[in-house]
Amino acid sequence: MKLPSIVFASSFCLLTACSSTENNTAPPPLALVQSNTFTQTSVETQQEIFALSKHVKQQLDSTFPKDGRSLQSTKGLLRFLLQNGDASLSYQSGATLTANQAYENLNANCLSLSILAYSLADYLGLEGQFQKVHIPEYWALDNGFNLLTGHINLKVSESTKQVLNRKVIYPQERSLVIDFDPNSRQEAFKTSNINKARITAMFYNNKGAAAMLKHDYDTAFSYYKAAVDIDSNYSGAWGNLGVLFRLTSDYQSAETAYQYAISLDPDNNTALGNLARLYNLTDRKEQGQAILDMLDKKRQANPYYHISLGNDAYTTSRYQDAIKHYKKARDLNSTLHDTDFGLARTYYQLGDLKLAKKYLTMANNKADFDHDKQRYESKLQALRSHTAKLIDYR
């Protein structure tokens, strides 16, 4: 059984989707990030990640007069983005951008869009609080890797603050939550507060994972090092660092990184799965299988787990297994468009264009984001025009 290889933090959207205790008292294995195997490259500073350009600030000043900024301004932030950005606000799981980059290209993940919203709110004199949303484990397939994604949102509040040299005190905190994922808003998942350092570590972790997918291991290491430097208690970064060491055949360092990630967060299932893979690679198959059995039992009720297994089966041409897993996911949650798309592309590969069209139509109807709807609609048009053989189902 192939388990997810990388934990993608952003999320969030990457972020790590596991619940986190992260109360480890053991010192971090910082010797791992002093490795001479990799050539370090420069990464964005925290200031650069959250900075707004002069142009953006001028537009904010024009849109939100300084003597009238309040919580009501928050309701106008998304409208401001759509009116002044590229008018195509859309969540994309793989795009991790700074605040300025996200403003110029709103097709970003929830981490980047939340960073942008935080910086905009902060400039307007409002208080932003990042929140980790405790969603079920969710995997996205990218370049042959199952990437575990997470989710964050931003709570924006009015509290004691200075406005034009006069102190305004509100009798109680008033707040609004900005959440770029409609599924998260609908489900009302539990949240917990996370600080700016953790958000920065998540940004670095996502960038490191993206570089690792491209086999740019020096850049990946540089970002993972930056993540643990700013937040040594971030389990996700240690887990991904372990993947990097495994990919470069440094199994001892990989095991140390995995073990520390798990000590920080015993529910970091991806680090556990990767540790099991490492045990199998190093002739400790019994230990590895014990972990895999535990994880499999734990994840049986999660539809996204079965979607990830279906994706694995599909990419290895085990189409009947893929159908079985997608249908299991559908039984657990019939509202997920990912499941119907998995069935559609599998039936297409089996030559059943009728069922492919049926499930592709369902996927299109269930999709929340425009980029998904556009993707499905283009494939439906190809089927309708009898050019299905030209469809690229990647």
Side-chain angles (χ1 to χ4, degrees):
M1 179 182 301
K2 180 182 176 185
L3 287 177
S5 302
I6 301 177
V7 55
F8 218 50
S10 251
S11 211
F12 268 72
C13 292
L14 326 275
L15 339 55
T16 317
C18 337
S19 71
S20 175
T21 53
E22 304 203 349
N23 55 0
N24 186 71
T25 57
L30 295 178
L32 293 183
V33 292
Q34 308 303 324
S35 172
N36 295 322
T37 303
F38 306 97
T39 301
Q40 290 190 47
T41 59
S42 61
V43 303
E44 300 89 338
T45 65
Q46 185 182 68
Q47 182 178 2
E48 289 170 337
I49 293 169
F50 286 87
L52 296 176
S53 70
K54 179 185 289 188
H55 172 67
V56 175
K57 291 178 180 179
Q58 289 174 341
Q59 288 186 297
L60 284 171
D61 288 336
S62 175
T63 306
F64 303 100
K66 290 185 178 181
D67 59 351
R69 295 176 180 175
S70 67
L71 192 63
Q72 295 302 313
S73 301
T74 305
K75 297 179 179 179
L77 283 179
L78 289 178
R79 185 165 57 252
F80 170 81
L81 289 175
L82 292 176
Q83 290 173 346
N84 296 280
D86 72 354
S88 60
L89 180 62
S90 178
Y91 162 71
Q92 298 280 356
S93 62
T96 302
L97 308 174
T98 66
N100 276 326
Q101 291 169 338
Y103 179 77
E104 295 300 328
N105 176 16
L106 296 180
N107 292 294
N109 61 28
C110 66
L111 176 65
S112 303
L113 294 172
S114 296
I115 287 172
L116 173 59
Y118 175 93
S119 296
L120 296 174
D122 183 63
Y123 185 77
L124 295 178
L126 300 168
E127 294 187 2
Q129 173 62 62
F130 292 107
Q131 298 184 135
K132 175 181 174 180
V133 182
H134 295 271
I135 64 174
E137 286 184 298
Y138 173 79
W139 293 268
L141 194 64
D142 191 339
N143 291 337
F145 287 90
N146 269 319
L147 304 178
L148 178 62
T149 69
H151 185 56
I152 66 164
N153 61 30
L154 180 73
K155 183 171 72 172
V156 179
S157 306
E158 280 182 349
S159 59
T160 303
K161 60 176 184 168
Q162 295 288 337
V163 179
L164 296 179
N165 296 322
R166 60 187 176 83
K167 200 170 188 179
V168 179
I169 302 179
Y170 297 98
Q172 62 182 6
E173 181 182 68
R174 296 181 293 173
S175 63
L176 290 171
V177 174
I178 298 177
D179 195 314
F180 293 98
D181 184 351
N183 295 317
S184 174
R185 294 195 298 271
Q186 293 166 9
E187 293 290 341
F189 293 111
K190 177 183 176 183
T191 62
S192 57
N193 291 345
I194 47 180
N195 60 27
K196 195 172 180 179
R198 174 58 54 86
I199 290 293
T200 306
M202 290 175 176
F203 178 94
Y204 291 144
N205 191 42
N206 277 9
K207 298 283 279 190
M212 191 160 62
L213 287 177
K214 298 175 182 176
H215 306 288
D216 185 355
Y217 296 149
D218 290 335
T219 300
F221 178 80
S222 300
Y223 276 113
Y224 294 147
K225 181 181 186 303
V228 300
D229 282 347
I230 199 166
D231 186 352
S232 61
N233 287 326
Y234 181 35
S235 175
W238 288 107
N240 268 0
L241 186 63
V243 175
L244 178 62
F245 283 125
R246 178 179 65 78
L247 291 173
T248 54
S249 301
D250 186 349
Y251 294 158
Q252 183 175 350
S253 294
E255 184 167 350
T256 300
Y258 291 150
Q259 294 283 14
Y260 193 69
I262 295 165
S263 73
L264 288 171
D265 181 4
D267 290 329
N268 187 336
N269 293 338
T270 300
L272 283 164
N274 284 324
L275 179 61
R277 170 177 289 192
L278 184 65
Y279 283 156
N280 289 333
L281 286 172
T282 52
D283 297 322
R284 289 174 284 177
K285 297 186 185 300
E286 187 173 336
Q287 290 174 267
Q289 192 58 48
I291 294 175
L292 294 181
D293 290 343
M294 179 271 292
L295 289 175
D296 182 69
K297 183 177 180 180
K298 185 177 182 180
R299 290 165 163 165
Q300 281 300 318
N302 181 357
Y304 295 107
Y305 176 55
H306 294 282
I307 291 173
S308 74
L309 295 180
N311 291 339
D312 288 335
Y314 176 85
T315 56
T316 54
S317 301
R318 294 180 289 112
Y319 298 129
Q320 293 302 326
D321 286 341
I323 290 172
K324 179 183 70 174
H325 288 300
Y326 291 138
K327 286 188 173 180
K328 176 64 175 177
R330 206 167 188 272
D331 288 342
L332 291 168
N333 188 335
S334 62
T335 68
L336 304 176
H337 66 89
D338 313 67
T339 306
D340 290 320
F341 177 62
L343 286 167
R345 65 178 185 171
T346 305
Y347 280 119
Y348 166 76
Q349 293 295 341
L350 293 173
D352 192 333
L353 301 187
K354 182 178 179 180
L355 283 178
K357 181 180 177 181
K358 170 187 173 182
Y359 284 108
L360 194 53
T361 301
M362 290 182 178
N364 188 42
N365 291 338
K366 294 175 185 177
D368 293 298
F369 297 110
D370 287 341
H371 68 275
D372 285 323
K373 287 184 175 295
Q374 291 169 4
R375 181 166 56 116
Y376 296 153
E377 184 59 36
S378 68
K379 298 180 188 304
L380 279 169
Q381 289 176 0
L383 280 171
R384 293 178 187 130
S385 61
H386 306 289
T387 58
K389 63 180 180 181
L390 301 177
I391 298 177
D392 181 359
Y393 274 100
R394 290 176 297 176

